[in-house]
C-alpha cells in the first residue's frame, strides 16, 4: 500500500474552492464535500453527493453535462467497436488449421498473420490519439472504422496467404480505434469518481473479445469454410460502422471553449473541428505519445502489464493447437471449450464492478478523504498472484495431460485475474495523468498487443523445447517478479510524479 506522511493523512487545508485537476492528480483527489470550506459551497456536486472533478462549465456543449443516457450510449458503442479488434484477431486463431491445410503451409507459417495483426493493433492506438487530438474524435473513428470494414472483406476474400497476410496487417492498423482511444472518451464524458466503473465496462468488452472470436469461429469452421469466420467479422464491423453515426464529438477545451458545435454532419466530416486547427499543431499532436512515455509511472506500468498480459495471450493463441493435438478436440469441441474465457472475464468484471470502488472508498476513509492514484494498484496484488498460480497449474495440466476441465478452470482463473489488473492500471494512469488520457490509453493498448505479439511468436517453440510445466513455470516467475514494479510505484510513485511534473503539451486538448 502507499505510504503517507502524517501531513498527508491530516484533513486537507484548502484555502480556496477552486479545483485544479492537475493539482488534484499530484496531491490526491478529494471528492467529499465535507473536506472543503463551507461544505464545498460554490462547487458543483453530483447526484451522489461527490464534488465533481473536473468542474463542468455552465453550457450544454460541455460533454460532462450531457445526459447519462447519451453518455452511456457512447460508452456502449465505443465498447462494441473496441471489441472488434481482438474479436477478428481471435477469429484468425481458429482459422489457422484449415488455412494451413488449404494453402499447404505449416501452422507456424500461417500463425505469422496472427502475429502481424497483433503488432499493428498495438501501433494503431498511438496514431488514433494523435489524429483525434487534432482532427477530433468523431471523424477519426469514422474513418478508421470504414477502413476496418474493407480489410475484413479483404481477409474473407483473400485467395492466397500473402494476400491474407497483408489484409490482416492492414486490418490491425485500423481496427483498434476503439481500444486505443477508449480512455479519451471516458475522460471527456465522465468525472473522476466515475472512471473505474466506466473503465471496467469497456475493458470487459476488450478482454472478452479474444475469447468470443475463437468461440464463435470454432462453431463456424466445424460446419462450413473458414472464410465465413471473416464474413461474420465483416458483418459485425459494418454494424460498428453504422453505430458511429450515433456518436458525437467530445473534444472540448474548458480553458478556451470552442465555437458553437455546428451541424452533426460538419462534426462527422471534421469541418467544425477544422475551425480550431490554428490553435493546434499536427506535429505536436504526434509528439504527445512520446512525451507521455517519458513519465516513469507510465513506463513501469507498461512493463508490468506487458509481463502479465503476454502469457494470457500466449495461452489463448496456442490453446486451440494444444487441445487439438493432445486431446483430439474437434472444431466444435473447441467452441464449447472457449466458454472458459467468457466465464472468467464475466466473473472478473462482476467482481471489479464492486471491488475497485470498495478499495478506493476504504483508502479514502483511511486517508482523511484523500484518494491518491496509487490506491488503484492495491487490488493488483491478489489479481497478479491468481495469474501466477493459474500459469503454474496450466503448465502441469498440459505436461501431465490432466483432464481438460482442469485446464478450463485454471484458464478461467487467468481471465479473471487479468480483467481485474486491466481495469486497475487503466484507472491508475488516468488518475495520474488526466491531461494525457488518450496517450495513456494508446500505450496500454500497445503494451497489451505487443506482449501478445511477443508471446505468440515464442510460445510454441518455448513449450516444445522445455515442456509446458517448465515453460509456463518460468512465465509465472516473470509474472510474480512484475509485482515489485507495483510495490515500487506504491512506495515512490507520488514522489516520482511530483519530481517529473505533469505532461506539458503545447497543443490544445
Amino acid at each position: 500500500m502507499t505510504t503517507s506522511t502524517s501531513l498527508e493523512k491530516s484533513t486537507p487545508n484548502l484555502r480556496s474552492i477552486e479545483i485544479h485537476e492537475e493539482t488534484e492528480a499530484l496531491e490526491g483527489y478529494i471528492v467529499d464535500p465535507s473536506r472543503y470550506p463551507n461544505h464545498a459551497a460554490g462547487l458543483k456536486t453530483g447526484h451522489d453527493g461527490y464534488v465533481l472533478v473536473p468542474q463542468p462549465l455552465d453550457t450544454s456543449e460541455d460533454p460532462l453535462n450531457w445526459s447519462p443516457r447519451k453518455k452511456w450510449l457512447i460508452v456502449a458503442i465505443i465498447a462494441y467497436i473496441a471489441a472488434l479488434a481482438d474479436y477478428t484477431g481471435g477469429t484468425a486463431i481458429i482459422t489457422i488449421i484449415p488455412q494451413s491445410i488449404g494453402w499447404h503451409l505449416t501452422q507456424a507459417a500461417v500463425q505469422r498473420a496472427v502475429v502481424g495483426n497483433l503488432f499493428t493493433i498495438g501501433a494503431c492506438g498511438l496514431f488514433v490519439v494523435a489524429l483525434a487530438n487534432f482532427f477530433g474524435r468523431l471523424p477519426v473513428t469514422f474513418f478508421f472504422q470504414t477502413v476496418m470494414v474493407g480489410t475484413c472483406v479483404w481477409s474473407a476474400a483473400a485467395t492466397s496467404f500473402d494476400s491474407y497476410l497483408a489484409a490482416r496487417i492492414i486490418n490491425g492498423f485500423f481496427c483498434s480505434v476503439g481500444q486505443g482511444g477508449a480512455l479519451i472518451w471516458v475522460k471527456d464524458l465522465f468525472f473522476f469518481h466515475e472512471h473505474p466503473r466506466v473503465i471496467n465496462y469497456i475493458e470487459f468488452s476488450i478482454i472478452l473479445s479474444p475469447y468470443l472470436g475463437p468461440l464463435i469461429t470454432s462453431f463456424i469452421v466445424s460446419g462450413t469454410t473458414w472464410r465465413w469466420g471473416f464474413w461474420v467479422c465483416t458483418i459485425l464491423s459494418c454494424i460498428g460502422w453504422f453505430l458511429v453515426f450515433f456518436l458525437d464529438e467530445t473534444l472540448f477545451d474548458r480553458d478556451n471553449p470552442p465555437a458553437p458545435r455546428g451541424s452533426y454532419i460538419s462534426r462527422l466530416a471534421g469541418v467544425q473541428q477544422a475551425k480550431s486547427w490554428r490553435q493546434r499543431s499536427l506535429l505536436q499532436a504526434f509528439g504527445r505519445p512520446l512525451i507521455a512515455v517519458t513519465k516513469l509511472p507510465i513506463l513501469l506500468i507498461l512493463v508490468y502489464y506487458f509481463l502479465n498480459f503476454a502469457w494470457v495471450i500466449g495461452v489463448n493463441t496456442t490453446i486451440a493447437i494444444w487441445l487439438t493435438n493432445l486431446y483430439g478436440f474437434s472444431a466444435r469441441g473447441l467452441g464449447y471449450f472457449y466458454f472458459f474465457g467468457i466465464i472468467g472475464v464475466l466473473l472478473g468484471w462482476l467482481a471489479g464492478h464492486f471491488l475497485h470502488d470498495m478499495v478506493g472508498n476504504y483508502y479514502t476513509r483511511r486517508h482523511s478523504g484523500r484518494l491518491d492514484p496509487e490506491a488503484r494498484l492495491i487490488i493488483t496484488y491478489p489479481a497478479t498472484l491468481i495469474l501466477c498460480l493459474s500459469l503454474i497449474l496450466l503448465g502441469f495440466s498440459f505436461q501431465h495431460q490432466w483432464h481438460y476441465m482442469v485446464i478450463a478452470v485454471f484458464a478461467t482463473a487467468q481471465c479473471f485475474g487479468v480483467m481485474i489488473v486491466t481495469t486497475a492500471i487503466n484507472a491508475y494512469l488516468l488518475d495520474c495523468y488526466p491531461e494525457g488520457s488518450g496517450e495513456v490509453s494508446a500505450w496500454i493498448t500497445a503494451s497489451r498487443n505487443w506482449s501478445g505479439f511477443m508471446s505468440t511468436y515464442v510460445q510454441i517453440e518455448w513449450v516444445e523445447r522445455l515442456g509446458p510445466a517448465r515453460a509456463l513455470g518460468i512465465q509465472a516467475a516473470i509474472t510474480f517478479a512484475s509485482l515489485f514494479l507495483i510495490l515500487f510505484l506504491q512506495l515512490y510513485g507520488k514522489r516520482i510524479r511530483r519530481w517529473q511534473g505533469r505532461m506539458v503539451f503545447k497543443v490544445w486538448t
Side-chain angles (χ1 to χ4, degrees), residues 186 191-203 349 352-353 355-357 360 371 376 423-424 426-428 430-431:
V186 174
F191 300 100
F192 159 77
H193 68 280
E194 299 173 314
H195 289 167
R197 187 160 291 187
V198 181
I199 292 170
N200 200 42
Y201 278 105
I202 295 179
E203 292 301 330
W349 166 79
H353 185 76
L355 287 177
H356 294 289
D357 284 342
L371 178 63
R376 303 294 191 194
T423 298
N426 273 275
Y428 168 64
L430 182 57
D431 289 354

PDB file of all heavy atoms in Angstrom, residues 186 191-203 349 352-353 355-357 360 371 376 423-424 426-428 430-431:
ATOM      1  N   VAL A 186     -13.684   8.218 -22.142  1.00  0.00           N
ATOM      2  CA  VAL A 186     -14.032   8.165 -20.720  1.00  0.00           C
ATOM      3  C   VAL A 186     -13.724   9.492 -20.046  1.00  0.00           C
ATOM      4  O   VAL A 186     -14.543  10.050 -19.305  1.00  0.00           O
ATOM      5  CB  VAL A 186     -13.279   7.014 -20.021  1.00  0.00           C
ATOM      6  CG1 VAL A 186     -13.524   7.054 -18.509  1.00  0.00           C
ATOM      7  CG2 VAL A 186     -13.699   5.668 -20.588  1.00  0.00           C
ATOM      8  N   PHE A 191     -16.713  12.099 -14.811  1.00  0.00           N
ATOM      9  CA  PHE A 191     -15.951  12.729 -13.739  1.00  0.00           C
ATOM     10  C   PHE A 191     -15.025  11.707 -13.071  1.00  0.00           C
ATOM     11  O   PHE A 191     -15.185  10.494 -13.240  1.00  0.00           O
ATOM     12  CB  PHE A 191     -16.913  13.325 -12.709  1.00  0.00           C
ATOM     13  CG  PHE A 191     -17.825  14.372 -13.279  1.00  0.00           C
ATOM     14  CD1 PHE A 191     -19.139  14.066 -13.616  1.00  0.00           C
ATOM     15  CD2 PHE A 191     -17.369  15.662 -13.504  1.00  0.00           C
ATOM     16  CE1 PHE A 191     -19.983  15.021 -14.154  1.00  0.00           C
ATOM     17  CE2 PHE A 191     -18.206  16.633 -14.047  1.00  0.00           C
ATOM     18  CZ  PHE A 191     -19.518  16.314 -14.372  1.00  0.00           C
ATOM     19  N   PHE A 192     -14.092  12.231 -12.310  1.00  0.00           N
ATOM     20  CA  PHE A 192     -13.058  11.393 -11.700  1.00  0.00           C
ATOM     21  C   PHE A 192     -13.624  10.187 -10.958  1.00  0.00           C
ATOM     22  O   PHE A 192     -13.179   9.058 -11.152  1.00  0.00           O
ATOM     23  CB  PHE A 192     -12.214  12.254 -10.752  1.00  0.00           C
ATOM     24  CG  PHE A 192     -11.473  11.465  -9.712  1.00  0.00           C
ATOM     25  CD1 PHE A 192     -10.323  10.763 -10.035  1.00  0.00           C
ATOM     26  CD2 PHE A 192     -11.955  11.393  -8.403  1.00  0.00           C
ATOM     27  CE1 PHE A 192      -9.657  10.018  -9.071  1.00  0.00           C
ATOM     28  CE2 PHE A 192     -11.293  10.653  -7.442  1.00  0.00           C
ATOM     29  CZ  PHE A 192     -10.141   9.964  -7.782  1.00  0.00           C
ATOM     30  N   HIS A 193     -14.605  10.405 -10.099  1.00  0.00           N
ATOM     31  CA  HIS A 193     -15.095   9.313  -9.253  1.00  0.00           C
ATOM     32  C   HIS A 193     -15.865   8.263 -10.054  1.00  0.00           C
ATOM     33  O   HIS A 193     -16.126   7.167  -9.534  1.00  0.00           O
ATOM     34  CB  HIS A 193     -15.972   9.873  -8.121  1.00  0.00           C
ATOM     35  CG  HIS A 193     -17.273  10.454  -8.575  1.00  0.00           C
ATOM     36  ND1 HIS A 193     -17.380  11.714  -9.100  1.00  0.00           N
ATOM     37  CD2 HIS A 193     -18.539   9.926  -8.604  1.00  0.00           C
ATOM     38  CE1 HIS A 193     -18.633  11.966  -9.408  1.00  0.00           C
ATOM     39  NE2 HIS A 193     -19.360  10.889  -9.128  1.00  0.00           N
ATOM     40  N   GLU A 194     -16.205   8.561 -11.294  1.00  0.00           N
ATOM     41  CA  GLU A 194     -16.929   7.612 -12.134  1.00  0.00           C
ATOM     42  C   GLU A 194     -16.011   6.747 -12.989  1.00  0.00           C
ATOM     43  O   GLU A 194     -16.457   5.763 -13.582  1.00  0.00           O
ATOM     44  CB  GLU A 194     -17.898   8.363 -13.057  1.00  0.00           C
ATOM     45  CG  GLU A 194     -18.948   9.174 -12.334  1.00  0.00           C
ATOM     46  CD  GLU A 194     -19.772  10.037 -13.264  1.00  0.00           C
ATOM     47  OE1 GLU A 194     -19.180  10.706 -14.148  1.00  0.00           O
ATOM     48  OE2 GLU A 194     -21.009  10.054 -13.127  1.00  0.00           O
ATOM     49  N   HIS A 195     -14.746   7.107 -13.069  1.00  0.00           N
ATOM     50  CA  HIS A 195     -13.841   6.457 -14.020  1.00  0.00           C
ATOM     51  C   HIS A 195     -13.707   4.946 -13.853  1.00  0.00           C
ATOM     52  O   HIS A 195     -13.839   4.215 -14.839  1.00  0.00           O
ATOM     53  CB  HIS A 195     -12.455   7.110 -13.943  1.00  0.00           C
ATOM     54  CG  HIS A 195     -12.426   8.489 -14.525  1.00  0.00           C
ATOM     55  ND1 HIS A 195     -11.367   9.360 -14.326  1.00  0.00           N
ATOM     56  CD2 HIS A 195     -13.303   9.162 -15.299  1.00  0.00           C
ATOM     57  CE1 HIS A 195     -11.602  10.495 -14.949  1.00  0.00           C
ATOM     58  NE2 HIS A 195     -12.777  10.408 -15.529  1.00  0.00           N
ATOM     59  N   PRO A 196     -13.421   4.423 -12.645  1.00  0.00           N
ATOM     60  CA  PRO A 196     -13.191   2.969 -12.556  1.00  0.00           C
ATOM     61  C   PRO A 196     -14.352   2.132 -13.071  1.00  0.00           C
ATOM     62  O   PRO A 196     -14.155   1.134 -13.772  1.00  0.00           O
ATOM     63  CB  PRO A 196     -12.951   2.746 -11.053  1.00  0.00           C
ATOM     64  CG  PRO A 196     -12.461   4.055 -10.549  1.00  0.00           C
ATOM     65  CD  PRO A 196     -13.196   5.086 -11.350  1.00  0.00           C
ATOM     66  N   ARG A 197     -15.567   2.533 -12.730  1.00  0.00           N
ATOM     67  CA  ARG A 197     -16.725   1.728 -13.139  1.00  0.00           C
ATOM     68  C   ARG A 197     -16.914   1.777 -14.660  1.00  0.00           C
ATOM     69  O   ARG A 197     -17.220   0.755 -15.289  1.00  0.00           O
ATOM     70  CB  ARG A 197     -17.981   2.211 -12.416  1.00  0.00           C
ATOM     71  CG  ARG A 197     -19.186   1.325 -12.641  1.00  0.00           C
ATOM     72  CD  ARG A 197     -20.224   1.529 -11.567  1.00  0.00           C
ATOM     73  NE  ARG A 197     -19.773   1.029 -10.274  1.00  0.00           N
ATOM     74  CZ  ARG A 197     -20.544   0.960  -9.189  1.00  0.00           C
ATOM     75  NH1 ARG A 197     -21.795   1.353  -9.241  1.00  0.00           N
ATOM     76  NH2 ARG A 197     -20.056   0.496  -8.048  1.00  0.00           N
ATOM     77  N   VAL A 198     -16.716   2.945 -15.260  1.00  0.00           N
ATOM     78  CA  VAL A 198     -16.862   3.063 -16.720  1.00  0.00           C
ATOM     79  C   VAL A 198     -15.754   2.279 -17.415  1.00  0.00           C
ATOM     80  O   VAL A 198     -15.995   1.563 -18.399  1.00  0.00           O
ATOM     81  CB  VAL A 198     -16.836   4.545 -17.148  1.00  0.00           C
ATOM     82  CG1 VAL A 198     -17.003   4.652 -18.668  1.00  0.00           C
ATOM     83  CG2 VAL A 198     -17.925   5.337 -16.448  1.00  0.00           C
ATOM     84  N   ILE A 199     -14.533   2.413 -16.916  1.00  0.00           N
ATOM     85  CA  ILE A 199     -13.404   1.675 -17.489  1.00  0.00           C
ATOM     86  C   ILE A 199     -13.659   0.178 -17.412  1.00  0.00           C
ATOM     87  O   ILE A 199     -13.358  -0.567 -18.353  1.00  0.00           O
ATOM     88  CB  ILE A 199     -12.093   2.038 -16.764  1.00  0.00           C
ATOM     89  CG1 ILE A 199     -11.697   3.493 -17.068  1.00  0.00           C
ATOM     90  CG2 ILE A 199     -10.955   1.092 -17.169  1.00  0.00           C
ATOM     91  CD1 ILE A 199     -10.556   4.002 -16.216  1.00  0.00           C
ATOM     92  N   ASN A 200     -14.228  -0.274 -16.308  1.00  0.00           N
ATOM     93  CA  ASN A 200     -14.488  -1.702 -16.124  1.00  0.00           C
ATOM     94  C   ASN A 200     -15.433  -2.240 -17.196  1.00  0.00           C
ATOM     95  O   ASN A 200     -15.261  -3.365 -17.678  1.00  0.00           O
ATOM     96  CB  ASN A 200     -15.077  -1.944 -14.735  1.00  0.00           C
ATOM     97  CG  ASN A 200     -14.926  -3.384 -14.276  1.00  0.00           C
ATOM     98  OD1 ASN A 200     -13.876  -3.998 -14.466  1.00  0.00           O
ATOM     99  ND2 ASN A 200     -15.966  -3.934 -13.675  1.00  0.00           N
ATOM    100  N   TYR A 201     -16.427  -1.445 -17.587  1.00  0.00           N
ATOM    101  CA  TYR A 201     -17.342  -1.861 -18.651  1.00  0.00           C
ATOM    102  C   TYR A 201     -16.613  -1.992 -19.985  1.00  0.00           C
ATOM    103  O   TYR A 201     -16.778  -2.981 -20.713  1.00  0.00           O
ATOM    104  CB  TYR A 201     -18.493  -0.866 -18.783  1.00  0.00           C
ATOM    105  CG  TYR A 201     -19.615  -1.067 -17.794  1.00  0.00           C
ATOM    106  CD1 TYR A 201     -19.761  -0.218 -16.703  1.00  0.00           C
ATOM    107  CD2 TYR A 201     -20.529  -2.097 -17.949  1.00  0.00           C
ATOM    108  CE1 TYR A 201     -20.788  -0.392 -15.783  1.00  0.00           C
ATOM    109  CE2 TYR A 201     -21.558  -2.286 -17.040  1.00  0.00           C
ATOM    110  CZ  TYR A 201     -21.688  -1.423 -15.958  1.00  0.00           C
ATOM    111  OH  TYR A 201     -22.702  -1.617 -15.057  1.00  0.00           O
ATOM    112  N   ILE A 202     -15.819  -0.986 -20.327  1.00  0.00           N
ATOM    113  CA  ILE A 202     -15.140  -1.010 -21.623  1.00  0.00           C
ATOM    114  C   ILE A 202     -14.092  -2.113 -21.665  1.00  0.00           C
ATOM    115  O   ILE A 202     -13.971  -2.845 -22.665  1.00  0.00           O
ATOM    116  CB  ILE A 202     -14.507   0.367 -21.916  1.00  0.00           C
ATOM    117  CG1 ILE A 202     -15.608   1.422 -22.076  1.00  0.00           C
ATOM    118  CG2 ILE A 202     -13.642   0.306 -23.177  1.00  0.00           C
ATOM    119  CD1 ILE A 202     -15.091   2.819 -22.347  1.00  0.00           C
ATOM    120  N   GLU A 203     -13.327  -2.255 -20.587  1.00  0.00           N
ATOM    121  CA  GLU A 203     -12.297  -3.288 -20.573  1.00  0.00           C
ATOM    122  C   GLU A 203     -12.907  -4.691 -20.552  1.00  0.00           C
ATOM    123  O   GLU A 203     -12.303  -5.632 -21.069  1.00  0.00           O
ATOM    124  CB  GLU A 203     -11.369  -3.096 -19.370  1.00  0.00           C
ATOM    125  CG  GLU A 203     -10.512  -1.848 -19.438  1.00  0.00           C
ATOM    126  CD  GLU A 203      -9.605  -1.819 -20.661  1.00  0.00           C
ATOM    127  OE1 GLU A 203      -9.194  -2.899 -21.130  1.00  0.00           O
ATOM    128  OE2 GLU A 203      -9.321  -0.710 -21.148  1.00  0.00           O
ATOM    129  N   TRP A 349     -15.212  -9.019 -14.384  1.00  0.00           N
ATOM    130  CA  TRP A 349     -15.953  -7.756 -14.497  1.00  0.00           C
ATOM    131  C   TRP A 349     -16.894  -7.581 -13.313  1.00  0.00           C
ATOM    132  O   TRP A 349     -16.966  -6.488 -12.726  1.00  0.00           O
ATOM    133  CB  TRP A 349     -16.757  -7.747 -15.799  1.00  0.00           C
ATOM    134  CG  TRP A 349     -17.777  -6.653 -15.822  1.00  0.00           C
ATOM    135  CD1 TRP A 349     -17.569  -5.326 -16.074  1.00  0.00           C
ATOM    136  CD2 TRP A 349     -19.176  -6.788 -15.511  1.00  0.00           C
ATOM    137  NE1 TRP A 349     -18.748  -4.625 -15.955  1.00  0.00           N
ATOM    138  CE2 TRP A 349     -19.745  -5.493 -15.614  1.00  0.00           C
ATOM    139  CE3 TRP A 349     -19.992  -7.864 -15.176  1.00  0.00           C
ATOM    140  CZ2 TRP A 349     -21.106  -5.267 -15.390  1.00  0.00           C
ATOM    141  CZ3 TRP A 349     -21.338  -7.635 -14.947  1.00  0.00           C
ATOM    142  CH2 TRP A 349     -21.889  -6.353 -15.059  1.00  0.00           C
ATOM    143  N   GLY A 352     -14.904  -6.801 -10.220  1.00  0.00           N
ATOM    144  CA  GLY A 352     -14.339  -5.465 -10.327  1.00  0.00           C
ATOM    145  C   GLY A 352     -15.368  -4.363 -10.195  1.00  0.00           C
ATOM    146  O   GLY A 352     -15.056  -3.255  -9.744  1.00  0.00           O
ATOM    147  N   HIS A 353     -16.613  -4.646 -10.611  1.00  0.00           N
ATOM    148  CA  HIS A 353     -17.692  -3.659 -10.520  1.00  0.00           C
ATOM    149  C   HIS A 353     -17.832  -3.147  -9.087  1.00  0.00           C
ATOM    150  O   HIS A 353     -18.187  -1.983  -8.855  1.00  0.00           O
ATOM    151  CB  HIS A 353     -18.998  -4.304 -10.990  1.00  0.00           C
ATOM    152  CG  HIS A 353     -20.160  -3.359 -11.044  1.00  0.00           C
ATOM    153  ND1 HIS A 353     -20.316  -2.430 -12.047  1.00  0.00           N
ATOM    154  CD2 HIS A 353     -21.216  -3.183 -10.199  1.00  0.00           C
ATOM    155  CE1 HIS A 353     -21.419  -1.734 -11.842  1.00  0.00           C
ATOM    156  NE2 HIS A 353     -21.984  -2.174 -10.721  1.00  0.00           N
ATOM    157  N   LEU A 355     -15.295  -4.193  -6.406  1.00  0.00           N
ATOM    158  CA  LEU A 355     -14.026  -4.149  -5.690  1.00  0.00           C
ATOM    159  C   LEU A 355     -13.253  -2.859  -5.914  1.00  0.00           C
ATOM    160  O   LEU A 355     -12.649  -2.321  -4.976  1.00  0.00           O
ATOM    161  CB  LEU A 355     -13.163  -5.349  -6.089  1.00  0.00           C
ATOM    162  CG  LEU A 355     -13.596  -6.706  -5.533  1.00  0.00           C
ATOM    163  CD1 LEU A 355     -12.693  -7.801  -6.070  1.00  0.00           C
ATOM    164  CD2 LEU A 355     -13.555  -6.683  -4.003  1.00  0.00           C
ATOM    165  N   HIS A 356     -13.227  -2.352  -7.155  1.00  0.00           N
ATOM    166  CA  HIS A 356     -12.426  -1.153  -7.426  1.00  0.00           C
ATOM    167  C   HIS A 356     -12.931   0.035  -6.613  1.00  0.00           C
ATOM    168  O   HIS A 356     -12.135   0.778  -6.012  1.00  0.00           O
ATOM    169  CB  HIS A 356     -12.436  -0.847  -8.927  1.00  0.00           C
ATOM    170  CG  HIS A 356     -11.750  -1.878  -9.754  1.00  0.00           C
ATOM    171  ND1 HIS A 356     -10.381  -2.042  -9.751  1.00  0.00           N
ATOM    172  CD2 HIS A 356     -12.234  -2.813 -10.608  1.00  0.00           C
ATOM    173  CE1 HIS A 356     -10.052  -3.030 -10.566  1.00  0.00           C
ATOM    174  NE2 HIS A 356     -11.153  -3.508 -11.100  1.00  0.00           N
ATOM    175  N   ASP A 357     -14.246   0.233  -6.590  1.00  0.00           N
ATOM    176  CA  ASP A 357     -14.799   1.321  -5.783  1.00  0.00           C
ATOM    177  C   ASP A 357     -14.641   1.039  -4.298  1.00  0.00           C
ATOM    178  O   ASP A 357     -14.384   1.953  -3.501  1.00  0.00           O
ATOM    179  CB  ASP A 357     -16.279   1.518  -6.123  1.00  0.00           C
ATOM    180  CG  ASP A 357     -16.473   2.231  -7.454  1.00  0.00           C
ATOM    181  OD1 ASP A 357     -15.511   2.866  -7.928  1.00  0.00           O
ATOM    182  OD2 ASP A 357     -17.578   2.136  -8.016  1.00  0.00           O
ATOM    183  N   GLY A 360     -11.108   1.840  -3.296  1.00  0.00           N
ATOM    184  CA  GLY A 360     -10.923   3.286  -3.324  1.00  0.00           C
ATOM    185  C   GLY A 360     -11.591   3.976  -2.145  1.00  0.00           C
ATOM    186  O   GLY A 360     -11.010   4.871  -1.517  1.00  0.00           O
ATOM    187  N   LEU A 371      -7.817  10.618  -1.963  1.00  0.00           N
ATOM    188  CA  LEU A 371      -7.534   9.401  -2.731  1.00  0.00           C
ATOM    189  C   LEU A 371      -6.340   9.639  -3.644  1.00  0.00           C
ATOM    190  O   LEU A 371      -6.427  10.402  -4.607  1.00  0.00           O
ATOM    191  CB  LEU A 371      -8.750   8.984  -3.571  1.00  0.00           C
ATOM    192  CG  LEU A 371      -8.544   7.748  -4.457  1.00  0.00           C
ATOM    193  CD1 LEU A 371      -8.261   6.519  -3.594  1.00  0.00           C
ATOM    194  CD2 LEU A 371      -9.750   7.502  -5.353  1.00  0.00           C
ATOM    195  N   ARG A 376      -5.287   2.825  -6.511  1.00  0.00           N
ATOM    196  CA  ARG A 376      -5.905   1.971  -7.536  1.00  0.00           C
ATOM    197  C   ARG A 376      -5.115   0.670  -7.731  1.00  0.00           C
ATOM    198  O   ARG A 376      -5.654  -0.311  -8.246  1.00  0.00           O
ATOM    199  CB  ARG A 376      -5.962   2.711  -8.872  1.00  0.00           C
ATOM    200  CG  ARG A 376      -6.700   4.034  -8.842  1.00  0.00           C
ATOM    201  CD  ARG A 376      -8.164   3.879  -8.569  1.00  0.00           C
ATOM    202  NE  ARG A 376      -8.890   5.123  -8.801  1.00  0.00           N
ATOM    203  CZ  ARG A 376     -10.125   5.350  -8.393  1.00  0.00           C
ATOM    204  NH1 ARG A 376     -10.771   4.417  -7.711  1.00  0.00           N
ATOM    205  NH2 ARG A 376     -10.726   6.497  -8.639  1.00  0.00           N
ATOM    206  N   THR A 423      -8.392  -3.184 -15.501  1.00  0.00           N
ATOM    207  CA  THR A 423      -9.157  -2.025 -15.032  1.00  0.00           C
ATOM    208  C   THR A 423      -8.344  -1.204 -14.039  1.00  0.00           C
ATOM    209  O   THR A 423      -8.348   0.033 -14.086  1.00  0.00           O
ATOM    210  CB  THR A 423     -10.473  -2.481 -14.390  1.00  0.00           C
ATOM    211  OG1 THR A 423     -11.276  -3.154 -15.365  1.00  0.00           O
ATOM    212  CG2 THR A 423     -11.251  -1.299 -13.838  1.00  0.00           C
ATOM    213  N   ALA A 424      -7.618  -1.873 -13.153  1.00  0.00           N
ATOM    214  CA  ALA A 424      -6.848  -1.166 -12.119  1.00  0.00           C
ATOM    215  C   ALA A 424      -5.768  -0.275 -12.716  1.00  0.00           C
ATOM    216  O   ALA A 424      -5.628   0.884 -12.318  1.00  0.00           O
ATOM    217  CB  ALA A 424      -6.231  -2.181 -11.159  1.00  0.00           C
ATOM    218  N   ASN A 426      -5.554   0.921 -15.801  1.00  0.00           N
ATOM    219  CA  ASN A 426      -6.159   2.000 -16.588  1.00  0.00           C
ATOM    220  C   ASN A 426      -6.614   3.130 -15.677  1.00  0.00           C
ATOM    221  O   ASN A 426      -6.374   4.311 -15.967  1.00  0.00           O
ATOM    222  CB  ASN A 426      -7.349   1.464 -17.390  1.00  0.00           C
ATOM    223  CG  ASN A 426      -6.955   0.884 -18.737  1.00  0.00           C
ATOM    224  OD1 ASN A 426      -6.825   1.597 -19.733  1.00  0.00           O
ATOM    225  ND2 ASN A 426      -6.742  -0.423 -18.773  1.00  0.00           N
ATOM    226  N   ALA A 427      -7.296   2.773 -14.582  1.00  0.00           N
ATOM    227  CA  ALA A 427      -7.759   3.792 -13.644  1.00  0.00           C
ATOM    228  C   ALA A 427      -6.585   4.528 -13.006  1.00  0.00           C
ATOM    229  O   ALA A 427      -6.630   5.753 -12.830  1.00  0.00           O
ATOM    230  CB  ALA A 427      -8.629   3.144 -12.568  1.00  0.00           C
ATOM    231  N   TYR A 428      -5.531   3.804 -12.672  1.00  0.00           N
ATOM    232  CA  TYR A 428      -4.356   4.425 -12.047  1.00  0.00           C
ATOM    233  C   TYR A 428      -3.725   5.470 -12.963  1.00  0.00           C
ATOM    234  O   TYR A 428      -3.486   6.616 -12.559  1.00  0.00           O
ATOM    235  CB  TYR A 428      -3.334   3.350 -11.695  1.00  0.00           C
ATOM    236  CG  TYR A 428      -1.977   3.894 -11.304  1.00  0.00           C
ATOM    237  CD1 TYR A 428      -1.823   4.673 -10.164  1.00  0.00           C
ATOM    238  CD2 TYR A 428      -0.851   3.656 -12.093  1.00  0.00           C
ATOM    239  CE1 TYR A 428      -0.581   5.188  -9.803  1.00  0.00           C
ATOM    240  CE2 TYR A 428       0.389   4.167 -11.741  1.00  0.00           C
ATOM    241  CZ  TYR A 428       0.520   4.934 -10.592  1.00  0.00           C
ATOM    242  OH  TYR A 428       1.746   5.450 -10.251  1.00  0.00           O
ATOM    243  N   LEU A 430      -4.963   6.947 -15.618  1.00  0.00           N
ATOM    244  CA  LEU A 430      -5.862   8.058 -15.927  1.00  0.00           C
ATOM    245  C   LEU A 430      -5.933   9.031 -14.763  1.00  0.00           C
ATOM    246  O   LEU A 430      -5.975  10.248 -14.959  1.00  0.00           O
ATOM    247  CB  LEU A 430      -7.254   7.516 -16.261  1.00  0.00           C
ATOM    248  CG  LEU A 430      -8.304   8.564 -16.656  1.00  0.00           C
ATOM    249  CD1 LEU A 430      -7.835   9.388 -17.849  1.00  0.00           C
ATOM    250  CD2 LEU A 430      -9.642   7.904 -16.955  1.00  0.00           C
ATOM    251  N   ASP A 431      -5.924   8.507 -13.534  1.00  0.00           N
ATOM    252  CA  ASP A 431      -5.912   9.385 -12.362  1.00  0.00           C
ATOM    253  C   ASP A 431      -4.596  10.160 -12.257  1.00  0.00           C
ATOM    254  O   ASP A 431      -4.577  11.320 -11.844  1.00  0.00           O
ATOM    255  CB  ASP A 431      -6.114   8.566 -11.087  1.00  0.00           C
ATOM    256  CG  ASP A 431      -7.528   8.025 -10.958  1.00  0.00           C
ATOM    257  OD1 ASP A 431      -8.386   8.380 -11.796  1.00  0.00           O
ATOM    258  OD2 ASP A 431      -7.777   7.230 -10.032  1.00  0.00           O
TER     259      ASP A 431
END
